[in-house]
Amino acid sequence: MSIAMVSARAVARRYRLRRAMVELASALLAIVLLIWSLLPVYNMLLIALDPEEGEIEFDGNIWTPEPSLASFRAVVTQEARYLEDFWRQFGNSLEIGLATMALTVLIGSLASFAVSRMRLGKGSLLTNAALLTYAIPGSFLIVPYYRIMHALGLSDTLSAVILAQVALATPFAVLILQLYGSLIPLELDDAARIDGASPAQLYLRIYLPLMTPALAVVALYALLLAWNDYLYQAVLLAVRNMTVSVLQGQIFLDADAPWNAMMAAAIIYVLPPVALAVALRRYVVASLARDGGEA
Amino acid sequence: LGRNGAQEALAGGALVTPTGSGRPLGRRHLHRSDRKWALAFVLPYAALFLVFVLYPFGYALWMGGDPALYAQLIADPLYLRTVVNTLVFVGLGVNVTMFIALLLSGFFLRPRRWMKLVLAGFVLPWLVAAAPACVSFHWMLIDQRGLVDGLLSALFGIDGPLWLNDRWLALGSNVIAYIWKWLPFWTLIFIAGRMMIARDIYDAAAVDGATGARRFVHITLPLLGNLYLICTLLSTLWTLGDFTTVYLVSGGAPALSSEVLATLGFHYAFDTARPALGVAAAISALPVLVPVTIALMRKFHTSGLQP
C-alpha cells in the first residue's frame, strides 16, 4: 500500500513537472511571438526618435542614444523635407480609406441581403462571382485598370482608386456576409414580412442589426485593403493627389531623405486602422464568442 | 430600435409560422414587387463586377492575346528567373503562413490571463499598413547599419550578411516580411474556425481519452481541413498578386534577381514601356490561376461553408 502511495506521489510530481514545463514553453512562445511581431514596429520607432536629420540616421544602433520627438513635430508642422504636404496626403488616404470602407459595406451587404435573404437567384452564383474576382490578382490588372480609368474620364482622381479598391474588397465582404448570414434563420424575415415589413425595412431593421459583427469585420478589412494599397495609388494618381502610402514607397531608395521624419509619418499613418480595430474589437469578439466558444 | 425589431420578429415568428398555409415559406417565390427590390439591391454589385472585374479581365486577355509576346517572355532569362522566384515566394509564403497560423490559432485559445495581451501585440502587423511596414523591413535589412545586423552584432558578436545583396537572401527577406504581415490575419480566421467547433465535441473526446496531439489529428484537422484548404487556395491567389512586399522590401534587388511576376509585369509596363508584355507576364500565370480558382469554387460549395 505504501508502495502505491509513493508511486502515486511520484505520478503527481511528474504531472506537476510536466505542467510547469508546458507553462514555461507557452510563456517562451509568447515572448518570441511578441518580439517577432513588434520588431519592425520598434524599428520604425527607433528611426523616428533619432534626432539627427538629413542622412541615414541608423548605424547599427539598437537603441537611439538621445531619443527626441523633433521628427514628429517636423511632420505635424509639415517642416520636414518631402513632407511639406503631409496632411493633404493624409487627407487623401483617409478619403480613399473611408469611402472604400463605406461603399464596400453598403454594396456588399445589399447584394448579400438580396441573394441570401430575398432568395434572388442562387447563392452560389454570387459567391462564385466573388471568387472569380480573385482569379486574376488585382496587381496583374494595373495596366488595363489604368486605361479603363482613363477611358471613363477618371484619370488622376481619388474616385478611380476608390472604385478599384471597392471592386477588390467587396467580393471578400460578400463571402464573409454569406457565411455569417447563413447562421441567421430565414424564419425571422418571413415573420417580419407577414407583419407587413417592406424589403427596405427588413434590410435596415433586421438584417443590418443582426449582421453587425460580420459588418464590423468587413469594414475593418476594407479599410485595411485601402490602407495597404500601394500600387493602385502609385499608378492611378499623379503627384497632386499623392497619398501617404505612395510617399512612403516612392522615396525609399533615397538615402538622403529625412528618414526619421518619414518613419514618424509612417507611425502617424498606422494609427487610424489601429484605432478602428480597437473601436470594433467588441463586435468582432462578439461574433466569435457567439457559440460560447470561450474554449 | 433595430434590435427590438429583430426580437419582435422572432417573437412573432413563433406565433405565425405554425399557422402558415402548409407550404414552407422558404420555398415561396418572390413577389413581383419584391423582385424589383432585390434586383435594385444587387444592381450596384453587378455593375461593379461588370465594369471593374469582367471588363479588366477581357481587356487584359485582349492586350496579352498576341502569341509573339509569350515567345518574347520565354526568350527573356529575367522572366524564367522570375517564375522560379514566384514559385518560391508563393510556395513558402502561403504554406508556412498557413501551417503556423493553424498551430498558433490553437495556442491563442489556451485560457491564460496574459493571452489577450499577447494576441493584441501579435495582430499589430495586420493593422500596420503594408507600405510603411515593408519600408521598415527594408531599412532593418539594409546592411550592417540595419537593426537586424545591429542586433546580431550586439547579441552574438557576429557580422550579419548583406541581406539584400544576394538573390536568395533577398527572396528570403521578402518571404519573411510577407509572413510577418499576413500571419495574424490567417491566425484570426483559424481562431474563428476553431471557435465554431462545438465545445462538446472536444469534451466527448476528452472523455474518450483523446488529448493533445491525438485531439489535433482526429478532431481539429478533419473539422478544420476544409477551411484550411479554402484559405490556402485563396491565399495562393492573393500572394501571387502581392506587389508591395517585393517592390518595397528587396525592390527586386540585387539587379532584378528577386522579382516576382507582379513586380516584373510592373517593370515591363512602366520602366521599359512595354505594357503589353507586362500584361502577358501576368496572363502567363493563368495555368495556375484558373485551376486554383475552380478548386476554390468547388471546395467553397461542397464544404458546408456555403449557406
Side-chain angles (χ1 to χ4, degrees):
Chain A
M1 187 167 151
S2 75
I3 292 172
M5 271 177 66
V6 167
S7 77
R9 213 173 291 157
V11 166
R13 200 183 321 136
R14 212 178 308 150
Y15 178 74
R16 270 203 303 276
L17 193 70
R18 242 188 86 179
R19 269 197 73 100
M21 295 287 279
V22 169
E23 282 305 303
L24 190 69
S26 304
L28 274 178
L29 180 58
I31 291 168
V32 169
L33 286 175
L34 280 179
I35 293 175
W36 155 266
S37 301
L38 298 180
L39 195 64
V41 181
Y42 171 75
N43 187 54
M44 288 184 185
L45 204 62
L46 182 68
I47 297 172
L49 291 178
D50 197 307
E52 278 177 56
E53 199 208 318
E55 303 198 0
I56 296 187
E57 296 82 350
F58 21 95
D59 37 21
N61 284 336
I62 55 175
W63 175 241
T64 310
E66 299 166 36
S68 138
L69 289 173
S71 59
F72 284 93
R73 203 173 310 126
V75 173
V76 172
T77 58
Q78 307 198 105
E79 275 161 9
R81 235 165 354 108
Y82 293 108
L83 290 163
E84 294 88 356
D85 289 324
F86 176 71
W87 288 115
R88 195 161 53 94
Q89 290 156 355
F90 192 84
N92 287 340
S93 293
L94 207 59
E95 192 179 331
I96 292 172
L98 293 179
T100 302
M101 184 170 91
L103 285 173
T104 301
V105 168
L106 183 71
I107 296 175
S109 65
L110 280 175
S112 188
F113 174 76
V115 170
S116 66
R117 312 306 290 189
M118 298 188 71
R119 309 167 178 99
L120 176 77
K122 281 164 75 180
S124 60
L125 197 68
L126 183 67
T127 45
N128 274 346
L131 290 169
L132 183 66
T133 306
Y134 298 123
I136 305 183
S139 66
F140 287 7
L141 297 170
I142 189 65
V143 176
Y145 259 110
Y146 180 78
R147 297 197 172 174
I148 289 170
M149 292 305 176
H150 189 75
L152 292 174
L154 292 171
S155 312
D156 191 23
T157 61
L158 298 186
S159 306
V161 178
I162 292 165
L163 285 169
Q165 300 296 304
V166 172
L168 290 177
T170 312
F172 188 72
V174 164
L175 295 180
I176 293 284
L177 294 174
Q178 290 286 89
L179 285 180
Y180 191 81
S182 68
L183 302 171
I184 297 172
L186 270 172
E187 285 75 17
L188 274 181
D189 303 23
D190 292 331
R193 291 316 304 275
I194 289 166
D195 290 347
S198 75
Q201 282 172 323
L202 228 57
Y203 171 74
L204 289 172
R205 298 263 179 91
I206 296 183
Y207 185 73
L208 287 187
L210 286 174
M211 295 291 283
T212 312
L215 293 170
V217 171
V218 165
L220 187 56
Y221 175 82
L223 180 76
L224 280 170
L225 188 97
W227 227 249
N228 281 331
D229 173 54
Y230 171 81
L231 181 63
Y232 279 83
Q233 295 171 15
V235 172
L236 297 180
L237 299 176
V239 179
R240 181 165 68 90
N241 279 325
M242 202 189 235
T243 62
V244 179
S245 183
V246 178
L247 176 82
Q248 291 282 325
Q250 266 190 0
I251 58 165
F252 92 113
L253 288 177
D254 182 357
D256 282 335
W259 274 102
N260 51 357
M262 292 305 293
M263 280 297 153
I267 290 169
I268 294 172
Y269 179 61
V270 162
L271 295 178
V274 174
L276 185 73
V278 171
L280 294 180
R281 188 192 47 189
R282 209 156 53 89
Y283 298 104
V284 179
V285 172
S287 80
L288 291 180
R290 189 177 24 75
D291 296 297
E294 188 59 28
Chain B
L1 188 80
R3 186 141 300 179
N4 280 344
Q7 271 162 6
E8 279 162 26
L10 189 59
L15 291 174
V16 172
T17 316
T19 59
S21 62
R23 235 160 115 206
L25 287 161
R27 298 265 170 269
R28 258 196 354 210
H29 285 291
L30 280 174
H31 283 295
R32 198 173 297 162
S33 66
D34 282 7
R35 211 179 155 72
K36 272 186 197 150
W37 275 100
L39 284 173
F41 282 174
V42 94
L43 188 69
Y45 182 65
L48 195 71
F49 184 72
L50 271 180
V51 180
F52 296 107
V53 179
L54 288 188
Y55 185 30
F57 277 17
Y59 205 113
L61 293 175
W62 173 73
M63 273 186 85
D66 183 3
L69 290 169
Y70 299 91
Q72 219 175 319
L73 282 180
I74 299 289
D76 188 351
L78 179 57
Y79 174 76
L80 295 178
R81 198 168 51 193
T82 300
V83 169
V84 174
N85 290 348
T86 310
L87 289 174
V88 173
F89 182 73
V90 175
L92 285 178
V94 171
N95 291 301
V96 174
T97 304
M98 287 300 153
F99 189 66
I100 297 179
L102 182 66
L103 296 182
L104 284 182
S105 64
F107 173 71
F108 281 116
L109 285 173
R110 283 164 163 259
R112 297 283 185 284
R113 244 174 298 152
W114 39 265
M115 202 55 101
K116 266 187 186 160
L117 208 66
V118 178
L119 187 59
F122 178 73
V123 298
L124 194 61
W126 178 47
L127 300 172
V128 173
C134 291
V135 170
S136 176
F137 261 97
H138 179 81
W139 289 124
M140 247 165 72
L141 295 166
I142 184 67
D143 48 37
Q144 258 89 25
R145 293 162 303 165
L147 180 64
V148 170
D149 282 357
L151 280 173
L152 284 179
S153 110
L155 295 177
F156 308 109
I158 38 175
D159 285 341
L162 304 174
W163 298 96
L164 305 179
N165 245 6
D166 172 88
R167 176 188 176 193
W168 298 108
L169 283 179
L171 195 53
S173 303
N174 293 339
V175 172
I176 296 286
Y178 186 82
I179 294 173
W180 180 84
K181 171 76 181 137
W182 292 108
L183 186 60
F185 176 75
W186 296 110
T187 306
L188 288 175
I189 297 264
F190 288 137
I191 289 177
R194 278 180 193 256
M195 285 180 131
M196 299 276 183
I197 300 177
R199 199 153 177 207
D200 26 321
I201 298 182
Y202 281 131
D203 290 344
V207 170
D208 292 342
T211 51
R214 286 177 63 194
R215 193 174 75 165
F216 181 76
V217 171
H218 294 294
I219 301 174
T220 311
L221 266 191
L223 288 176
L224 278 185
N226 268 321
L227 182 65
Y228 187 83
L229 203 60
I230 287 171
C231 290
T232 302
L233 292 169
L234 194 55
S235 164
T236 302
L237 297 178
W238 287 352
T239 312
L240 259 169
D242 184 69
F243 172 87
T244 316
T245 308
V246 175
Y247 191 72
L248 293 182
V249 174
S250 82
L256 302 179
S257 69
S258 64
E259 300 270 7
V260 291
L261 277 178
T263 56
L264 184 71
F266 180 87
H267 171 73
Y268 281 146
F270 295 98
D271 296 340
T272 69
R274 289 180 290 179
L277 195 64
V279 172
I283 299 288
S284 70
L286 276 185
V288 175
L289 294 171
V290 171
V292 170
T293 308
I294 291 173
L296 191 53
M297 287 175 178
R298 286 223 180 123
K299 219 56 216 166
F300 200 83
H301 293 293
T302 56
S303 65
L305 275 177
Q306 169 66 16

